[in-house]
Amino acid sequence: MPQITRVLVANRAEIASRVFRTCRRLGIGTVAVHSDPDAALPYVREADVAVRLPGSTPAETYLDVDAVLAAARAAGADAVHPGYGFLSENAGFARAVQEAGLTWIGPDPSSIEQMGDKIRAKELMRAAGVPVLEAPEQPTEVDLPLLVKASAGGGGRGMRVVRALADLEREVAAAQEEAASAFGDGTVFVEPYVEQGRHVEVQVVGTTVYGDRDCSLQRRHQKVVEEAPAPGLPDEVRTALHEAARRAAEAIDYRGAGTVEFLYDPASERFFFLEMNTRLQVEHPVTEEVHGVDLVELQLVAAEGAPVPERAGRASGHAVEVRLYAEDPAADHQPQSGVLRCLEIPQEPGVRVEAGFEAGNEVSTFYDAMLAKVVVCADTRAQAVRLLATVLQRSRIHGVRTNRDQLVAILRDERFVAGEVSTALLPQVALPAPDAGLAPVAAALALAERDRAARTVQRGLPPAWRNVPSQPQVTILGDHRVEWWGGRDGYRVEGAAVVAASPEQVTLEADGVRTTYRVSVAGSDVDVDWPGGHAALVRTPRFVDPAEAVASGSLLAPMPGTVVRVAVESGAHVAAGDPVLVLEAMKMQHTVAAPHAGTVAQINVQAGAQVAAGEVLAVVEEQQEETA
């Protein structure tokens, strides 16, 4: 096959940037495609040339095969890399690329087809001698819990845990609806759900095994923390896993990079085939770090028809990766959107950052909520975990809520540190209680310094100057009330000594310990960073417009999105927790439930409507208890 000269990446954000980096090192040209919301993301600028895919939704852009192929022709690309997600495991797309005379950087379309249907894949693995999980055709209470899974996709979409037989029919229907929306195929199947299992996967290139990874820590069945090698596996289990993955690859004559995923039960030391991802995985960097290999380069080598190594090098060290999401763990991991005002992650030795966004970019509601992957590789697992937790804590992230604090809590949880990982661990890790400490004080003084710098008259006077002060100045930041005094001798506050203050930085001393706080202000939003954490504060205006108040019982949109279903009609009676509407945002569905029992007084939207965050969707009037 001829050498590849220019690669179009049929994807977006960090995976596109990742592929471009290897292409540049190998002297290969690059082409980016982008939707309208993604036009300002870094990967578009990093490519040699970029082609716009008009539209916003995945169906209009990255899932439009004709549009992607037209972009390849227009930009002079001779090869297509699919990244992960979108069309990466679409055999029809792979064949269309080849029929267009382009090189497909991935496995043979027949391999994608065989493993893309998870029901058929299990049959193939059973025939190859790979153990698989199977549920009875007519499950009973003894078989619970069960897991409903989408046959055509992954990433946690179209997946539901069922703990009561009475819920099975409803959860199957919900999984079918979500799978059809995400993958265009609503086929689902049911298998046993192992509560304390571990998600262990094996990286292959062709039939060569490049070690294993543990991806057990998940929310909504989507991975959050990954590491290589998988900790605590008995040697015989590790060897058997690698052999099973090799047999799986041989069974379909696999070419290129892929991952065989298993569910491992530590209690019985048995493992079962889950699925094979016929593409590059999000978590591939941890394998690269410990094996000293570039998996994207091996994909390109295989696509050019050259032989790949028949044996992988020995793993060295330990790598841990976390996925930094724009989401609110305290609100059931609801995705967040908005302008990312700051994204600064310390670039210490051993730290690798794969970011899809930079400061100033808008996080839209149309795609996955992952902002970046942060990877640390060190000689030992303990060193990698400790450094990663510290790097995350010292990062500055402003503009959207993230799971950063939850990630730090996981990495410092004694069970995780001890290697006691399982798919049940993440919900058991308590979210750290919000503790702003002296951050509101630092924010109030920085705001005072900003006000002083903005004066047009009497600029030389100290802040809040009074000849005879009678009371302190007050700054309200959400739930925090800060009282402070200003004058020729500087600032005074309760509980701390003010060492220095400027519009961007405040140093306070409490109990003999000095701490410096960095303060960033954007409108009414005030972000404070210090070595112990971060506080996102909102300056409360002195006067509030009554027109901005909403009626009691109003159901507000938790994020921008699309209304996919209205579950009740106006006038209906609902109980607390009953679903009222279903929103779709960032490829996930979110139920908006009644806050209390009562009557639906009004419905303000209908299915298909686009809504903004904070918009009043419906009003449920609270049911008043009757008295004698």
Side-chain angles (χ1 to χ4, degrees), residues 124-153:
L124 287 169
M125 294 302 99
R126 191 184 301 109
V130 179
V132 299
L133 269 178
E134 297 181 276
E137 291 186 9
Q138 297 295 329
T140 65
E141 296 286 345
V142 177
D143 302 309
L144 296 173
L146 299 169
L147 185 65
V148 184
K149 297 178 69 174
S151 179

Side-chain angles (χ1 to χ4, degrees), residues 507-522:
T507 300
L508 303 174
E509 182 174 311
D511 298 325
V513 178
R514 287 190 179 185
T515 303
T516 297
Y517 299 82
R518 299 176 65 182
V519 182
S520 301
V521 181

Side-chain angles (χ1 to χ4, degrees), residues 112-135:
I112 300 175
E113 215 158 43
Q114 291 177 89
M115 288 301 182
D117 183 334
K118 292 182 175 59
I119 298 173
R120 184 182 176 193
K122 284 194 172 189
E123 296 171 352
L124 287 169
M125 294 302 99
R126 191 184 301 109
V130 179
V132 299
L133 269 178
E134 297 181 276

Side-chain angles (χ1 to χ4, degrees), residues 6 9 31 36 123 132 138 172 189 201 213 215 254 266 276 308 350 353 372 375 383 430 439 484 516-517 530 543:
R6 177 171 282 189
V9 177
V31 181
D36 292 336
E123 296 171 352
V132 299
Q138 297 295 329
V172 166
F189 64 97
E201 57 189 37
R213 304 184 284 255
C215 307
Y254 196 75
M276 182 173 184
V308 297
V353 179
V375 189
Q383 291 171 342
W484 54 274
T516 297
Y517 299 82
W530 69 101
F543 303 105

Side-chain angles (χ1 to χ4, degrees), residues 24 64 99 231 275 280 289 303 308 326 330 336-337 355 391 398 405 423 439 464 476 491 508 589 595 607 620 626-627:
R24 283 194 298 271
D64 188 330
E99 291 167 359
E275 62 184 352
L280 200 65
E289 292 297 320
V308 297
Q336 304 291 298
S337 60
V391 165
H398 304 164
D405 291 345
T423 54
I476 306 296
Y491 293 100
L508 303 174
Q589 292 191 355
V620 177
E626 295 183 4
T627 57

Side-chain angles (χ1 to χ4, degrees), residues 68-85:
V68 172
L69 292 179
R73 287 191 293 269
D78 56 8
V80 173
H81 190 298
Y84 50 71

Side-chain angles (χ1 to χ4, degrees), residues 6-323:
R6 177 171 282 189
V7 171
L8 178 143
V9 177
N11 220 294
R12 63 184 294 276
E14 60 88 19
I15 183 55
S17 294
R18 165 68 191 91
V19 176
F20 292 160
R21 187 167 66 247
T22 293
C23 288
R24 283 194 298 271
R25 182 172 60 80
L26 299 177
I28 298 173
T30 55
V31 181
V33 289
H34 67 86
S35 65
D36 292 336
D38 285 345
L41 294 190
Y43 82 97
V44 179
R45 182 179 65 251
E46 292 165 0
D48 294 331
V49 296
V51 181
R52 174 183 175 237
L53 302 177
S56 299
T57 67
E60 294 172 326
T61 55
Y62 304 106
L63 292 176
D64 188 330
V65 173
D66 292 337
V68 172
L69 292 179
R73 287 191 293 269
D78 56 8
V80 173
H81 190 298
Y84 50 71
F86 294 130
L87 295 168
S88 62
E89 292 181 284
N90 186 310
F93 177 57
R95 289 196 177 95
V97 168
Q98 293 175 336
E99 291 167 359
L102 306 173
T103 299
W104 168 251
I105 304 173
D108 188 89
S110 63
S111 297
I112 300 175
E113 215 158 43
Q114 291 177 89
M115 288 301 182
D117 183 334
K118 292 182 175 59
I119 298 173
R120 184 182 176 193
K122 284 194 172 189
E123 296 171 352
L124 287 169
M125 294 302 99
R126 191 184 301 109
V130 179
V132 299
L133 269 178
E134 297 181 276
E137 291 186 9
Q138 297 295 329
T140 65
E141 296 286 345
V142 177
D143 302 309
L144 296 173
L146 299 169
L147 185 65
V148 184
K149 297 178 69 174
S151 179
R157 297 169 189 92
M159 192 177 292
R160 295 285 193 280
V161 176
V162 180
R163 302 185 184 279
L165 288 180
D167 298 336
L168 181 58
E169 184 177 348
R170 184 181 72 251
E171 295 293 4
V172 166
Q176 288 173 331
E177 182 180 359
E178 192 169 83
S181 173
F183 313 117
D185 183 347
T187 305
V188 299
F189 64 97
V190 178
E191 66 184 19
Y193 181 59
V194 180
E195 293 275 11
Q196 299 291 333
R198 288 178 57 181
H199 187 120
V200 180
E201 57 189 37
V202 179
Q203 176 72 55
V204 297
V205 180
T207 57
T208 302
V209 172
Y210 280 85
D212 47 76
R213 304 184 284 255
D214 188 285
C215 307
S216 299
L217 271 79
Q218 304 176 9
R219 92 299 183 242
R220 286 181 172 164
H221 309 290
Q222 290 184 301
K223 301 163 189 172
V224 176
V225 182
E226 303 107 343
E227 55 183 309
L233 288 184
D235 290 343
E236 59 274 15
V237 172
R238 197 181 304 273
T239 300
L241 277 167
H242 293 186
E243 177 58 24
R246 187 188 60 77
R247 288 202 305 269
E250 284 182 342
I252 57 173
D253 192 25
Y254 196 75
R255 297 289 182 269
T259 299
V260 187
E261 301 192 351
F262 297 94
L263 181 65
Y264 170 56
D265 182 2
S268 64
E269 293 192 354
R270 298 175 63 198
F271 60 84
F272 307 92
F273 171 82
L274 287 176
E275 62 184 352
M276 182 173 184
N277 295 126
T278 52
R279 53 169 169 82
L280 200 65
Q281 291 280 87
V282 178
E283 58 272 20
H284 75 274
V286 292
T287 295
E288 292 184 324
E289 292 297 320
V290 297
H291 282 277
V293 65
D294 185 331
L295 291 173
V296 174
E297 180 178 358
L298 292 182
Q299 286 185 296
L300 293 165
V301 168
E304 290 181 328
V308 297
E310 294 182 0
R311 185 178 296 275
R314 186 178 181 84
S316 176
H318 199 96
V320 185
E321 171 184 296
V322 294
R323 303 188 192 187

Side-chain angles (χ1 to χ4, degrees), residues 496-585:
V498 182
V499 178
S502 73
E504 293 82 27
Q505 192 165 287
V506 174
T507 300
L508 303 174
E509 182 174 311
D511 298 325
V513 178
R514 287 190 179 185
T515 303
T516 297
Y517 299 82
R518 299 176 65 182
V519 182
S520 301
V521 181
S524 60
D525 294 319
V526 185
D527 288 274
V528 185
D529 296 281
W530 69 101
H534 165 259
L537 307 170
V538 179
R539 188 177 192 177
T540 303
R542 181 172 296 181
F543 303 105
V544 179
D545 185 353
E548 295 179 359
V550 296
S552 174
S554 296
L555 276 65
L556 308 182
M559 69 205 76
T562 303
V563 178
V564 295
R565 183 163 61 90
V566 178
V568 297
E569 295 180 352
S570 183
H573 294 280
V574 292
D578 281 356
V580 178
L581 305 103
V582 178
L583 288 181
E584 184 171 84

